[in-house]
Amino acid sequence: MSVPKDAEKLLPLAQRWPRASKFLLSGCAATVAELATFPLDLTKTRLQMQGEAALARLGDSAGESVPYRGMIRTALGIIQEEGFLKLWQGVTPAIYRHVVYSGGRMVTYEHLREVVFGKSEDKHYPLWKSVIGGMMAGVIGQFLANPTDLVKVQMQMEGKRKLEGKPLRFRGVHHAFTKILAEGGIRGLWAGWVPNIQRAALVNMGDLTTYDTVKHYLVLNTALEENIMTHGLSSLCSGLVASILGTPADVIKSRIMNQPRDKQGRGLLYKSSTDCLIQAVQGEGFMSLYKGFLPSWLRMTPWSLVFWLTYEKIREMSGVSPF
């Protein structure tokens, strides 16, 4: 049933433009979560880069040295050698990335759930539909956000390059975008997009699918209601599952996005995500795929907790139904 134009003007913005509103609300929630947990993301990225076997074969001595060992010593090393505020180095493109990424994935998932797949009459949403929806939402959101993710990863490594005596590559976020675009063209901004969307598919299968499934199971099958307790328990579960599924793909993604490139934007260390996977396992062992798992998990869990609690709350305050 259509709404008259005069009556439509009186509706709240969230009801007049529901998808745009959900995009903005999820972007706001993601910004809060990103600022609160970004130091753990930086620590995770540094851990994933240390001891990279492919760099040693290229003749780069940085691949042979291991300046940090473990999450706490890595974080303390960054503070002592680069300064406390460097724990937030790269946070600006990270916020840009999460506004696009979180907005894209949340709108996509809800559209698939409510319109394409649809819930049953008893509000039950089958797990297989949630898995497909979560993976598709992650792929679409991450593909749109890939340029900002690329800049974030490369800027996170600038402090390490300075300590190794190498020249800094970027003066800031804008310079990073323009330099990557000048050196690799449009294609260069989507460097590493394949492992990136692979990771996003796995992470969102863990995050969106787990949160949605656990929350609605608790609401429909236990005495818990739609409140902060239910949201908190669901987000803790989603953070753990997302970390377990996403860490190997995250290691591959970070290495491909940070590798040196030729003038055509082609990587000098790895031909593809599969090649990076094989080199990592052969050169460093299978557990190299879980480098940075602890900070990844410790970041993913509070990130998920802050994001979902904030997102559900601002949806309520804005007059939007719960997720």
Side-chain angles (χ1 to χ4, degrees):
M1 181 178 178
S2 60
V3 180
K5 290 186 177 180
D6 292 338
E8 184 179 349
K9 292 179 181 180
L10 299 176
L11 292 174
L13 292 177
Q15 294 183 29
R16 291 167 61 185
W17 299 299
R19 290 192 181 90
S21 299
K22 291 174 183 177
F23 186 97
L24 292 174
L25 292 177
S26 61
C28 292
T31 299
V32 174
E34 195 66 19
L35 287 171
T37 62
F38 189 80
L40 287 169
D41 185 55
L42 175 65
T43 304
K44 175 205 68 177
T45 301
R46 294 285 182 92
L47 283 169
Q48 290 172 344
M49 297 300 177
Q50 69 179 15
E52 197 169 355
L55 281 175
R57 285 194 291 274
L58 190 66
D60 193 331
S61 60
E64 301 171 359
S65 61
V66 183
Y68 308 116
R69 295 183 184 277
M71 182 190 70
I72 296 177
R73 289 182 61 184
T74 299
L76 291 176
I78 293 171
I79 294 173
Q80 293 171 354
E81 298 165 6
E82 304 171 42
F84 178 75
L85 292 180
K86 291 298 182 181
L87 288 172
W88 279 269
Q89 182 161 342
V91 71
T92 302
I95 291 175
Y96 292 163
R97 180 247 181 187
H98 266 290
V99 169
V100 178
Y101 168 66
S102 293
R105 74 185 183 119
M106 300 303 291
V107 171
T108 300
Y109 183 83
E110 287 200 74
H111 178 75
L112 291 172
R113 185 182 66 182
E114 307 297 337
V115 179
V116 178
F117 294 137
K119 293 182 179 180
S120 60
E121 294 182 359
D122 62 353
K123 301 297 183 180
H124 178 69
Y125 190 51
L127 179 60
W128 69 269
K129 290 184 179 181
S130 185
V131 168
I132 295 175
M135 295 182 73
M136 290 180 64
V139 167
I140 293 172
Q142 184 55 60
F143 183 79
L144 294 174
N146 197 81
T148 53
D149 203 16
L150 175 67
V151 171
K152 181 201 79 170
V153 170
Q154 295 203 7
M155 288 193 68
Q156 284 179 329
M157 298 305 294
E158 288 298 272
K160 183 180 177 183
R161 288 177 63 86
K162 184 176 181 180
L163 291 176
E164 293 170 351
K166 298 178 181 179
L168 297 181
R169 296 172 292 185
F170 314 116
R171 294 191 298 271
V173 176
H174 181 263
H175 180 243
F177 274 112
T178 55
K179 185 176 181 180
I180 293 172
L181 186 61
E183 294 178 351
I186 294 295
R187 177 183 175 183
L189 289 174
W190 268 267
W193 73 272
V194 174
N196 229 356
I197 65 171
Q198 290 170 344
R199 173 191 178 271
L202 292 171
V203 167
N204 281 278
M205 183 173 68
D207 185 32
L208 287 173
T209 300
T210 303
Y211 181 84
D212 195 21
T213 302
V214 172
K215 189 185 92 163
H216 287 95
Y217 176 84
L218 293 175
V219 171
L220 295 174
N221 297 282
T222 71
L224 292 174
E225 299 178 352
E226 185 82 43
N227 54 33
I228 191 171
M229 176 66 72
T230 304
H231 300 159
L233 289 173
S234 303
S235 64
L236 291 175
C237 293
S238 68
L240 175 60
V241 176
S243 296
I244 293 172
L245 294 177
T247 297
D250 194 31
V251 171
I252 302 302
K253 177 214 75 168
S254 295
R255 291 188 173 192
I256 286 182
M257 296 182 81
N258 193 60
Q259 68 176 324
R261 299 184 176 277
D262 60 19
K263 294 182 179 179
Q264 285 72 45
R266 292 189 294 263
L268 299 177
L269 299 179
Y270 312 111
K271 298 176 182 178
S272 64
S273 57
T274 303
D275 180 46
C276 181
L277 173 67
I278 293 172
Q279 288 196 48
V281 173
Q282 289 181 344
E284 305 163 56
F286 176 79
M287 291 309 296
S288 66
L289 298 177
Y290 279 89
K291 281 186 175 180
F293 172 77
L294 182 58
S296 178
W297 174 54
L298 290 177
R299 177 186 187 263
M300 185 68 74
T301 299
W303 193 98
S304 183
L305 182 66
V306 173
F307 172 80
W308 285 112
L309 292 181
T310 304
Y311 186 50
E312 294 278 18
K313 187 62 179 179
I314 60 178
R315 282 176 70 114
E316 178 187 341
M317 294 170 63
S318 303
V320 180
S321 61
F323 177 77

